[in-house]
Every structure is written in structure tokens, then in C-alpha cells.
Amino acid sequence: MCVWLAVWQILSLCIGQEVLFASPRATFSRLFSLLGTGDFWLKALHSLLGIMEGYLLGVCGGILLAVLTACSKWLLAVFKPMLTVIKTTPVVSFIILALVWLQKESVPVFISFLMVLPIVWANLTTGIAETNPQLLEMARVYRLSKRKILRYIYFPSVLPALLTSLTTAIGFAWKAGIAAEVISTPRESIGAQLYNAKVYLETADLFAWTLVVILLSMLFERLIVFLVGKISALAAKEGV
Amino acid sequence: MNVTFQDVSVRYADKTVFTHFTHTFSFSGVTALMGASGVGKTTFLRVLCGLEKPESGSVTGFPARFTYLFQEDRLLPWLDALQNVAVVCDEASARRALEEVGLGEELHTKPAELSGGMRRRVALARAFAHDSDFLLLDEPFQGLDDSLRAALLPLLQKEALRRPVLFVTHDRREAQSLDASVLELHGSPAVL
């Protein structure tokens, strides 16, 4: 970390223009002054809630869709191309489309949702498809109920894939959500601040808000990893 | 219990196991299914109980409620021994079945922490604890030493009192000690 701070400082000294490349000192000074304002926390909270809302909706939607497409080949044939399109289309296209369809406050939520959904769906679908067929045959022979098959075979089989997708998706939700905010500029949001900093050439602001995004993203990734660890430990204890 | 194979043919890409196989079997007590490795003993069991559909022909008379001990243990790796057995019956029966196969001290041990022989006995306990009208066992004692085999053989006799038992074995002494009827498959395609 210290090495990279030194590199940053050297680069800013070499460039010598704060408007092009803010120094660590100017960035942290701006960051600390932001931290002292209620406005900062309000904007950070709005962004946080919007992205988390999209993330949770994406997780729930991904799980639901994975279950549905695992149960019906027809639904799989319907949804698979759509999810492939979502995965391969540039996120900015969706942001612009969403701006046409939705109120700008809802765009980051929708975009986070859209980024998380295929990740969770794809991981779960793979997990379901890779469930040991020998165990499923054993369940059929021993006439286990659907509830038992779900609880004792499918759920433990797909849990690692689900937990992996939760941690992968949080990073995507943040990156895409903030990008959506920058383009849609909802009034109380980090993305709007990034946009304003760019328009008014306030590079220290741009760096400071970017740092905030990185820190919040890391914080939530850690939180998800912590929760995932807790769920895994609980599942192991419960024999799942 | 009479089960009829009518004109049954089973073929894999590289091997014909049965061709127009027709026979009526009368199962009661313990029956041992014998034959050289690869002759089609497992295929016979799977076709008999309907786990595998023959290419042509039909099998009639086999009950819908049956128990099958697979060649692989097929235990749920995330559950302990007791939970593995209790998925097919109530906990008291599961506990009793595990105690009968000598695993009363390993009730809460997961499969990965058990030896191969112990895992086999958990799978056996699950088969014994499962209520059904027919018990099929594919090499039930593989991986078990002679003393354990000797201890477990009476359990098969006990099971035969409540349902027909058909088990695959390579050991003729096992069949003799159980006073079992013997079915022997020969050749390729297999014949009795």
C-alpha cells in the first residue's frame, strides 16, 4: 500500500498539475473534508442503498430463474439467449436504455440487478447441472420426498456455487451501479458527484469520490465474504 | 414372487449383454447372483428393477417398492452416518440398523472420516432400514474382511424373512452359508 502511495505521489510530482492528476495530499485532504459533511453521508447512503437493492433483487431473481430453468427445458430455451445477451451487451447500452424507460433514480438499481442476475443464474445452473446423478438415482430408488431431495442433495450441491456467485456479483454490482449513476446522475448519489467533478475539472474531488467507491466496494465485498463464511460454517454444522 | 423377463435385449456401444433373454424367476428367501466379472450381473439387477430400460422386451412382476444397494456406497457426503440412514427411515430405526452393522460408535461421523469398509456398512444399514418389498444388493460385502462378512451374513437371512433378497457375489461360500438359491450368468450375451 505504501509503495503505491509513493508511486502516486511521484507521478503527481512528475505531472505537476493538480487539475490533470491530483496528489495524494490533495485527494485525502478533500476526502477528509467530505467526511465531515452530512451531505457526503447522505449521498454515500443513497448510492449504497440503491446498489444493494439491485444486488439483492439480482440474487433473488437469479435463484428463482435458475430453479425455473432447471425445472423446465422450455423455460431454459426461452431465458438462456436473453441471459447471454445481457452478459455480452455493453453495460452502457443498458444504462442508456434504462434512462429512456425508467426514472433516473431507479437506473442504478436496475443496472445492478441486471449485472447480478446472470452471474447468480449461471453459477446456480451449473451447480444444479453438476449435481451427482448417482445420488439422484439413489434418492429415486429410496423414494425420498421432493423436500428431502432439495434439502439433502440439491441444496448442499449448489451451495458452493451460490456462495461463489454472491461474492463475484457484489463487485460487478458496484462497478455497474456507479457507472449507471455517473450517466443517469440521480441527485443524491456518488455517481453524480463523480460526474460534477469531471465537468468542473475538480480532479481532487474525482479522486476522493473514486476512493470512496473503492472503499465502499471493498467493505461490502468483505461483508459478503464474511456472511458467506458464516453461512458455509452453519451449513457444515447442520450437516448440509 | 415371480418376475418374468420377456425377450429382453440389452446392448451397449461395445457389448451385447442380453439378446432375446426370456425367463421367469421365482424369488423367495435369499438368492445369490453369480458370474464372472463383466458378464452382466449389475445390468441384470438394474433391468430387473427398472432402473435401466432394455433396448427391447419387458420385465414384469417386479414390485414398485424395492431397495437397491449400489456397487458404489452413494452416501451423502455432507451428512453423518446416522443422518445418512435416517433419510430413508425414522431416527430410531436408523440408529438400530447402524448398531446392527457394528457402527454404534460412529453415528455422528461423516463418510469422509470413515474407512471404506465402514462406509460400505453405512450403505448396508441404509438398505436394511429402508422398508420395501424386495432387497437388491450389488456386491454388498465388497471391501469387508472375512470376520465382518461372517458377522453381516446373518443380517441378510433376517432380511429374507420379510422380503426376497437378491445379492450379487463372487464368493460361492457366501451363497452356501446362507443356503441361498444360486443364479449364475455365463457368456456373452449372458445366459443362465
Side-chain angles (χ1 to χ4, degrees):
Chain A
M1 180 64 93
C2 291
V3 173
W4 287 109
L5 272 174
V7 171
W8 182 2
Q9 178 66 33
I10 291 164
L11 271 174
S12 70
L13 283 172
C14 291
I15 293 166
Q17 289 188 351
E18 287 283 339
V19 75
L20 286 182
F21 197 87
S23 65
R25 186 193 159 115
T27 303
F28 284 108
S29 157
R30 184 66 189 124
L31 180 62
F32 288 124
S33 70
L34 281 172
L35 288 173
T37 64
D39 202 34
F40 164 83
W41 294 105
L42 183 71
K43 288 177 170 62
L45 187 68
H46 266 255
S47 290
L48 191 75
L49 289 177
I51 291 168
M52 290 316 289
E53 187 184 342
Y55 174 77
L56 291 175
L57 285 172
V59 169
C60 295
I63 293 172
L64 183 69
L65 209 56
V67 172
L68 289 175
T69 52
C71 293
S72 159
K73 282 187 179 161
W74 183 80
L75 284 175
L76 179 66
V78 169
F79 282 105
K80 198 174 178 183
M82 191 190 85
L83 290 157
T84 308
V85 167
I86 294 174
K87 275 200 282 189
T88 51
T89 305
V91 65
V92 72
S93 304
F94 284 119
I95 297 171
I96 293 165
L97 271 176
L99 267 172
V100 177
W101 296 335
L102 304 168
Q103 288 187 325
K104 61 184 182 177
E105 279 72 22
S106 306
V107 174
V109 179
F110 177 68
I111 293 301
S112 300
F113 162 79
L114 217 54
M115 292 300 106
V116 171
L117 181 97
I119 296 172
V120 174
W121 174 81
N123 273 270
L124 271 187
T125 300
T126 307
I128 292 169
E130 286 176 357
T131 300
N132 188 338
Q134 290 196 336
L135 292 183
L136 292 173
E137 189 181 56
M138 179 277 293
R140 195 154 51 94
V141 166
Y142 286 93
R143 297 188 302 281
L144 299 192
S145 63
K146 280 188 179 153
R147 192 183 64 82
K148 279 187 175 176
I149 294 173
L150 267 180
R151 181 173 172 199
Y152 294 124
I153 300 180
Y154 276 115
F155 183 65
S157 299
V158 302
L159 188 62
L162 174 65
L163 298 182
T164 305
S165 72
L166 293 183
T167 42
T168 309
I170 188 72
F172 280 92
W174 266 100
K175 276 192 273 193
I178 295 294
E181 283 186 352
V182 170
I183 295 174
S184 63
T185 61
R187 216 161 62 89
E188 305 293 350
S189 71
I190 294 174
Q193 299 314 302
L194 286 169
Y195 179 79
N196 290 338
K198 174 232 159 197
V199 168
Y200 300 114
L201 289 176
E202 288 166 348
T203 313
D205 267 35
L206 185 63
F207 275 44
W209 281 109
T210 305
L211 260 182
V212 170
V213 173
I214 293 168
L215 290 173
L216 281 176
S217 175
M218 280 169 57
L219 188 74
F220 270 84
E221 202 168 321
R222 291 273 165 89
L223 181 69
I224 296 292
V225 169
F226 172 77
L227 289 175
V228 160
K230 286 277 173 203
I231 295 168
S232 300
L234 189 69
K237 195 177 160 190
E238 292 291 318
V240 170
Chain B
M1 181 181 294
N2 291 334
V3 182
T4 300
F5 277 58
Q6 184 65 48
D7 206 26
V8 168
S9 295
V10 179
R11 204 186 338 249
Y12 299 123
D14 56 340
K15 191 180 178 197
T16 301
V17 185
F18 295 108
T19 305
H20 305 296
F21 183 79
T22 299
H23 194 88
T24 296
F25 298 93
S26 184
F27 291 110
S28 65
V30 183
T31 307
L33 179 61
M34 303 191 69
S37 293
V39 75
K41 299 185 294 294
T42 298
T43 304
F44 179 87
L45 289 193
R46 293 180 64 84
V47 171
L48 175 74
C49 66
L51 280 181
E52 200 163 313
K53 294 274 169 267
E55 192 180 273
S56 63
S58 62
V59 177
T60 50
F62 196 80
R65 293 170 71 251
F66 65 92
T67 304
Y68 193 124
L69 175 78
F70 297 92
Q71 243 179 41
E72 316 81 25
D73 300 321
R74 302 199 187 185
L75 300 177
L76 300 165
W78 32 81
L79 300 184
D80 64 29
L82 182 63
Q83 290 168 323
N84 258 291
V85 180
V87 292
V88 305
C89 60
D90 61 88
E91 197 179 309
S93 307
R95 195 178 286 269
R96 208 164 37 244
L98 282 164
E99 280 164 2
E100 277 184 343
V101 298
L103 289 175
E105 303 291 312
E106 305 291 346
L107 296 179
H108 301 297
T109 311
K110 288 194 176 169
E113 294 152 29
L114 294 169
S115 69
M118 286 172 163
R119 285 199 292 272
R120 195 62 184 157
R121 280 186 282 159
V122 176
L124 263 170
R126 183 176 63 188
F128 292 156
H130 183 236
D131 186 32
S132 73
D133 301 324
F134 205 113
L135 178 57
L136 297 162
L137 306 159
D138 197 349
E139 298 194 32
F141 306 123
Q142 63 175 342
L144 301 179
D145 60 37
D146 287 344
S147 62
L148 271 172
R149 283 172 188 235
L152 293 171
L153 280 171
L155 296 179
L156 245 65
Q157 268 167 330
K158 195 173 131 194
E159 285 299 317
L161 296 175
R162 62 183 181 121
R163 52 187 168 177
V165 175
L166 173 61
F167 79 109
V168 172
T169 181
H170 291 281
D171 189 344
R172 200 167 287 277
R173 285 171 308 164
E174 274 175 9
Q176 284 166 349
S177 69
L178 286 167
D179 200 19
S181 318
V182 176
L183 287 176
E184 194 153 2
L185 291 175
H186 306 273
S188 178
V191 288
L192 282 172

